Amino acid sequence: VVDEALRLAALQRDATVLVERRGGPVPRVLASPERLVQVLLNLFLNAKQALGDRRDGVIETETALEGDHVVIRVRDNGPGIAPEIQQRIFDPFFTTRPPDAGTGLGLSIAFDIVREHGGTLELSSKHGFGACFTVRLAAAPGEAPVG
């Protein structure tokens, strides 16, 4: 799912952004692959937009098994998100971009999709030091890690 979202975002072809993929095999989750690709695509594109024209832009994606949950993190080294904005970041139609640059629905939709699958989508950011979005979903019972 991560690789498909990266392919769709075409981030690896952008000379100004380095995409680092980390993490080992994780178990499967009971979820719609298409919907999870949509979540990750939104996160990757938001990270790319946050980086703007930075020549040292990095988007890192990491997969891990933490307890009985599969975790996918998408972090960037962009400007981060101010605390007053963090409180509204998942609200429908909330955006810090100009009207012609987005609807403010991407993170709201991602949040709802993850919640519909019984998971959580969380933000960790310190203004000026990048942002990290964490998707946490229950591992499917009896599943062994897959590459």
Side-chain angles (χ1 to χ4, degrees):
V1 168
V2 173
D3 292 337
E4 178 64 9
L6 284 170
R7 187 187 69 74
L8 290 172
L11 295 174
Q12 55 275 62
R13 285 185 255 140
D14 191 322
T16 63
V17 174
L18 171 65
V19 177
E20 296 180 358
R21 173 106 157 68
R22 298 176 185 212
V26 293
R28 296 180 191 273
V29 297
L30 295 177
S32 161
E34 294 82 8
R35 302 285 279 160
L36 292 184
V37 166
Q38 184 178 4
V39 167
L40 295 174
L41 182 59
N42 282 333
L43 296 178
F44 292 143
L45 293 177
N46 276 358
K48 168 70 171 109
Q49 290 171 343
L51 292 172
D53 294 331
R54 286 183 67 149
R55 294 198 184 279
D56 63 343
V58 176
I59 298 172
E60 179 183 294
T61 180
E62 174 188 7
T63 54
L65 179 62
E66 296 179 0
D68 58 353
H69 286 85
V70 172
V71 175
I72 305 168
R73 290 187 179 87
V74 177
R75 58 175 78 79
D76 65 68
N77 66 340
I81 301 169
E84 61 273 12
I85 294 174
Q86 289 182 36
Q87 298 173 28
R88 300 191 57 208
I89 201 77
F90 297 115
D91 291 352
F93 303 106
F94 177 76
T95 183
T96 58
R97 297 191 186 109
D100 61 341
T103 61
L105 287 173
L107 290 176
S108 173
I109 289 170
F111 184 87
D112 287 344
I113 290 170
V114 173
R115 188 179 58 198
E116 288 168 6
H117 286 86
T120 59
L121 175 58
E122 302 158 358
L123 165 65
S124 172
S125 179
K126 185 174 179 186
H127 191 56
F129 296 94
C132 178
F133 286 88
T134 303
V135 175
R136 189 176 307 273
L137 296 163
E143 280 288 325
V146 294

